[in-house]
Amino acid sequence: MTVKVAINGFGTIGKRVAEAVLKQDDMELVGVTKTRPDYLAKAASLRGLLYVPEEKLQDFEKSGIEVAGTLDELLRKVDVVVDATPGGIGKEYKKVYEKYGVKAIFQGGEKHEVAGFSFSTLCNYEEAHGKQYARVVSCNTTGLLRVLCTLHKEIGIEKVRATIVRRGADPHETKRGPINAIVPNPVTLPSHHGIDVRTVLDIDIATTAVVVPTTIMHLHVLNIVLKENVSKEKILEALEAAPRILVIPSEFSGIKDTAKIIEMARDMGRKRYDLNELAVFEESISVNGKELFLMQAVHQESIVVPENIDAIRALATNVSKEESIRKTDSTLGLVKTFDDVLKVISRFE
Amino acid sequence: MTVKVAINGFGTIGKRVAEAVLKQDDMELVGVTKTRPDYLAKAASLRGLLYVPEEKLQDFEKSGIEVAGTLDELLRKVDVVVDATPGGIGKEYKKVYEKYGVKAIFQGGEKHEVAGFSFSTLCNYEEAHGKQYARVVSCNTTGLLRVLCTLHKEIGIEKVRATIVRRGADPHETKRGPINAIVPNPVTLPSHHGIDVRTVLDIDIATTAVVVPTTIMHLHVLNIVLKENVSKEKILEALEAAPRILVIPSEFSGIKDTAKIIEMARDMGRKRYDLNELAVFEESISVNGKELFLMQAVHQESIVVPENIDAIRALATNVSKEESIRKTDSTLGLVKTFDDVLKVISRFE
C-alpha cells in the first residue's frame, strides 16, 4: 500500500520532508503548496508538484509560475497532509483538513491541543497508530526526547534540568536576530521546552533557554538525575545503541564545536549539510553517582525530518516502529556511529 | 594520458580540489598530505590516500591513523602537485617540489613570484602550457578576473574601481573574526586585490577592501568604465555567455542577499553548498554611458576549484582551453543559467 502524501508549506521543513517522502517506496508525493512565488515554487512547478491556496492563484499567474491546482484539489487526492506552515497557522488549516477527512501531521510550532497527540518516534510511535492527527514536536524537543526516552527506558530518569542555547535565525533568514546579544528566552522561567517534553514523556523536567547570534545549530546542556548510579560507559552504550543519536569523539576527530559538526556534515556530502542525527559530544558526558551531565547539538532545520516520515507511517499504515525506523534511516542515509561517518566522508564524492 | 596528481595540504581548498581530481577521467589522485591527525586525515587514510611530511610520522602513529607514506615518497610518484598549504607555506615547499622535478600549482596565498606566473582560466589558460609552475589567484581575484577578462575581451575596459566586502572567517574557523566590527583591510589604500588582478590582466584598477562578520561569501561592488557606451543588455549578454558566471534574477527568484544564494546552492544539493560559479545580482547591473556598476558574490571556499583543475591540464597536457573548461565544468556540475539552477533544484533528490 502506498500512502498518498501532500505537504502544505514548502519552506525549511516542508521542502526537506517532501524530498524525504520522495525517497520512500511506500509513499507517493502528490503535491506541495506554497503561498509565495519564488525560485522554489518555480522548481516545484517544473515537476508538476505545485498547488496553491485558491486566493493566491492570481499572484502565481502574474509571476508566470504554472500551478497544478489548488490546495483543496490537492487535499482531495491524498491520505495524509504534512502541515509545514509557519507556527500557529496549522491550527487555521485544520478546518480544511477536517473538511476533506484527510489525516494531518502538524509541526512543533502548533500547540499540543491542535492535534491532541504529540509524537516522537523513540517515545510513542505505537500510540499513534490509527490516529487522525499527530504533532511532531519541535526540533529542540525532538533532540531532548531522543536522549530522554532512551535513558528513561534503559535506566530510568528522576529529574532533568536543562539549558537550551538556541540559534538566533536559520541561515537564510536575513531579517531575524539577535545579531549581537544573548536573549533570555523567555526571561520568565521555565522555558516551554520542558513543558513540551511532558506532552510526550511524563517526567520531572525544567528547562531554561537563551538565544545567541548563530544560524547553524542549537546546543543543549543537560543535567539529569537518574534512578540509579551509572557509569559513563553505560550511558555511552545506551546512546550508541539508540537510533538517530550520533556520539562524536571530539578529541580524536577535532570536532569540538557546532561549526565543526556542520563542517563534518558538509564533508559527508549531506544535502544542505543536514544532520538528522542528534550529535552528542562524547567528552562532555560526565557522571557522578546518579548525576549525569552532557552537551548535545541539534540541527534545527533537519532533525525532525525522520520523525515526520515515521509519523506518516504511524498514522496511515500498520508498519511497526522498528521497521519504520529502519526504512526511514536507511533511505535518508542516517549513520549510527562515528566510524560510519568516516566511511561516508572517505568516499570523497 | 593520465596526469598523476598529489595534493599537498588537505584543508578547505585541498579537499575540494582532491574530490574534483577524482572526478576527472584524465587525472589520477595518487595521494594527499595532511600535517594534523583529525577526522579528515582518518577518512583519507581509509582510502589509502594519506601521506604526511616525514617529521609528522610520529604524531600520526600516536593517533593510530595509518599513513601510506611520506610527502617525499608521494612526490616521486606524481606529475603535478597542487600546493594547498596555508598562505606563505607553499614558498617553503617549492624547494621540495624542485628536488623531485614535479610541476606545481600554488594558491593565491603565495606571492606571484613563487610561481612567476599567475593563472586564471578565462584570461590566460594558453600561456600556462608547458610551464613548470603556476599560481591560481585567490578567490577574490578569481571572481574579479572572470568578469573583467570577459568584459575586456568583449567591450574593452578603461578603468576599474572596486570595493571588496570580505567574509571574516570560513564557516569552520571558530577562532577567527571579526565578529562585531567592520575592518578596513587594509586601512592604507589600495587593497592588494587590484594589484593581484594586474599579475594576470594589465588594466587600470584600484580596489579597496573591508572585512565584515559573516562566514559564507564575499561581495564585490564594481564600478567599471568601459571603452565605449554600452547597454545593460550587452553586459548581460556578455556575462551570460561566459562560463562560470551565473546571473541571478533577484526579483523573480527572491534571492536578494548572500544568505539566499547559499540557500539556493543548498537546495541544488551542491556538496558543502559549494558555488564554483561567480554569482552576479542581475538587478545590480546599472549602466550609464560608458560607466557600469554591478554587485557580485564569491563563494570563498570553492570558486578556485575549477581553475585548479584547468591549471593541472594547462601545465601537464596539450588539452585546449575550451576542452578543459568543458570537461571541468561538466564533471563538477557547473550551471550556466538560472534556468539550469531551477532544473537542478527540481530534481528534489
Side-chain angles (χ1 to χ4, degrees), chain A residues 15 39 180 263 266-267, chain B residues 15 180 263 266-267 272:
Chain A
K15 66 187 177 186
Y39 75 92
N180 194 31
E263 189 71 7
R266 297 174 84 197
D267 289 334
Chain B
K15 67 187 177 186
N180 194 30
E263 190 70 8
R266 296 174 84 199
D267 288 335
R272 303 186 182 96

Side-chain angles (χ1 to χ4, degrees), chain A residues 63-340:
Chain A
S63 71
I65 297 178
E66 208 172 324
V67 307
T70 64
L71 171 61
D72 286 68
E73 286 167 345
L74 175 61
L75 290 176
R76 276 196 208 103
K77 301 182 193 171
V78 300
D79 306 306
V80 180
V81 59
V82 177
D83 182 287
T85 59
I89 306 293
K91 189 181 68 174
E92 302 305 318
Y93 277 112
K94 190 182 173 188
K95 300 160 203 160
V96 191
Y97 308 151
E98 270 174 337
K99 181 175 161 192
Y100 294 103
V102 63
K103 289 177 186 257
I105 291 158
F106 299 92
Q107 304 302 311
E110 302 305 319
K111 294 213 170 103
H112 171 76
E113 292 68 35
V114 172
F117 176 76
S118 289
F119 176 89
S120 191
T121 306
L122 303 192
C123 308
N124 64 0
Y125 178 96
E126 292 90 347
E127 291 171 42
H129 275 309
K131 287 205 191 300
Q132 189 71 2
Y133 301 116
R135 165 184 171 264
V136 173
V137 293
S138 71
C139 51
N140 278 310
T141 309
T142 296
L144 289 169
L145 283 170
R146 285 198 191 156
V147 159
L148 297 181
C149 287
T150 297
L151 296 182
H152 196 52
K153 243 169 249 182
E154 288 295 316
I155 302 158
I157 289 175
E158 209 154 79
K159 194 171 78 170
V160 181
R161 298 294 179 261
T163 297
I164 317 287
V165 185
R166 301 180 59 181
R167 63 90 183 93
D170 280 347
H172 67 95
E173 295 177 317
T174 28
K175 291 186 178 174
R176 212 177 134 174
I179 60 166
N180 194 31
I182 303 169
V183 185
N185 180 249
V187 74
T188 318
L189 305 189
S191 77
H192 73 277
H193 306 93
I195 298 162
D196 203 29
V197 161
R198 298 198 57 198
T199 63
V200 174
L201 179 67
D202 186 23
I203 52 170
D204 174 357
I205 178 168
T207 56
T208 51
V210 297
V211 185
V212 300
T214 183
T215 63
I216 54 176
M217 296 189 102
H218 303 297
L219 186 136
H220 299 170
V221 185
L222 296 190
N223 176 218
I224 302 176
V225 179
L226 296 157
K227 289 209 164 133
E228 56 191 56
N229 287 354
V230 287
S231 63
K232 177 166 176 171
E233 289 62 42
K234 170 114 184 168
I235 298 293
L236 257 176
E237 211 175 275
L239 297 181
E240 281 175 345
R244 300 175 188 172
I245 297 176
L246 176 65
V247 178
I248 296 182
S250 296
E251 286 302 335
F252 165 74
S253 65
I255 301 171
K256 300 181 182 183
D257 54 60
T258 55
K260 302 285 194 317
I261 293 177
I262 294 299
E263 189 71 7
M264 175 197 84
R266 297 174 84 197
D267 289 334
M268 291 171 78
R270 285 291 177 87
K271 183 163 184 178
R272 303 186 184 97
Y273 66 71
D274 282 358
L275 195 71
N276 302 114
E277 299 86 346
L278 174 76
V280 176
F281 291 101
E282 179 174 337
E283 282 80 352
S284 76
I285 302 173
S286 306
V287 174
N288 185 12
K290 293 176 170 186
E291 192 174 6
L292 163 69
F293 278 96
L294 66 81
M295 292 198 210
Q296 60 185 34
V298 170
H299 183 229
Q300 79 279 1
E301 297 173 289
S302 72
I303 194 172
V304 299
V305 173
E307 272 72 3
N308 270 278
I309 297 299
D310 293 334
I312 295 171
R313 280 203 193 91
L315 257 55
T317 77
N318 292 320
V319 173
S320 73
K321 170 177 158 183
E322 289 65 32
E323 175 66 1
S324 183
I325 292 176
R326 196 196 59 71
K327 280 178 97 87
T328 303
D329 293 6
S330 68
T331 50
L332 301 187
L334 267 63
V335 294
K336 269 305 305 147
T337 68
F338 196 71
D339 276 348
D340 296 336

Side-chain angles (χ1 to χ4, degrees), chain B residues 4-236:
Chain B
K4 289 178 168 24
V5 181
I7 313 282
N8 188 22
F10 199 54
T12 301
I13 299 298
K15 67 187 177 186
R16 287 172 166 84
V17 175
E19 289 171 3
V21 167
L22 284 168
K23 290 192 170 73
Q24 309 306 314
D25 64 7
D26 54 352
M27 299 180 193
E28 180 195 341
L29 181 68
V30 180
V32 304
T33 68
K34 214 168 173 341
T35 54
R36 260 176 317 166
D38 65 1
Y39 75 93
L40 259 190
K42 178 72 184 177
S45 164
L46 288 177
R47 281 281 293 266
L49 288 171
L50 182 67
Y51 292 75
V52 305
E54 194 157 2
E55 66 273 20
K56 299 285 180 183
L57 278 170
Q58 272 206 327
D59 292 356
F60 282 83
E61 211 164 288
K62 254 186 244 163
S63 71
I65 296 178
E66 210 174 322
V67 306
T70 64
L71 171 61
D72 286 69
E73 287 167 345
L74 174 61
L75 291 175
R76 276 196 208 103
K77 300 182 192 170
V78 300
D79 306 308
V80 180
V81 59
V82 177
D83 183 286
T85 59
I89 305 292
K91 190 180 69 173
E92 302 305 318
Y93 276 112
K94 190 181 172 189
K95 300 160 202 158
V96 191
Y97 307 152
E98 269 174 338
K99 181 175 162 194
Y100 294 103
V102 63
K103 288 178 187 257
I105 291 158
F106 298 91
Q107 305 303 310
E110 302 304 319
K111 293 212 171 102
H112 172 76
E113 291 69 33
V114 172
F117 176 75
S118 289
F119 177 88
S120 192
T121 305
L122 303 192
C123 308
N124 64 0
Y125 178 96
E126 292 91 347
E127 291 172 43
H129 274 310
K131 288 206 190 298
Q132 189 71 3
Y133 302 116
R135 164 183 172 264
V136 173
V137 294
S138 71
C139 52
N140 278 310
T141 308
T142 296
L144 288 169
L145 281 170
R146 285 197 191 156
V147 158
L148 297 181
C149 286
T150 297
L151 295 182
H152 196 51
K153 244 170 247 180
E154 288 295 315
I155 302 158
I157 288 177
E158 209 154 79
K159 194 171 79 170
V160 180
R161 298 295 179 260
T163 297
I164 318 288
V165 185
R166 301 180 59 181
R167 62 89 183 94
D170 280 346
H172 66 95
E173 295 178 317
T174 27
K175 290 185 178 175
R176 213 178 135 174
I179 62 166
N180 194 30
I182 302 168
V183 185
N185 181 249
V187 74
T188 318
L189 305 189
S191 76
H192 73 277
H193 307 94
I195 298 161
D196 204 28
V197 161
R198 298 199 56 199
T199 63
V200 174
L201 179 67
D202 186 23
I203 51 169
D204 174 358
I205 178 169
T207 54
T208 50
V210 296
V211 185
V212 300
T214 182
T215 64
I216 54 177
M217 296 188 102
H218 304 297
L219 186 136
H220 299 170
V221 185
L222 297 189
N223 176 217
I224 302 176
V225 179
L226 296 157
K227 290 209 163 131
E228 57 190 57
N229 288 355
V230 287
S231 63
K232 177 168 176 170
E233 288 63 43
K234 170 114 182 169
I235 300 292
L236 258 176

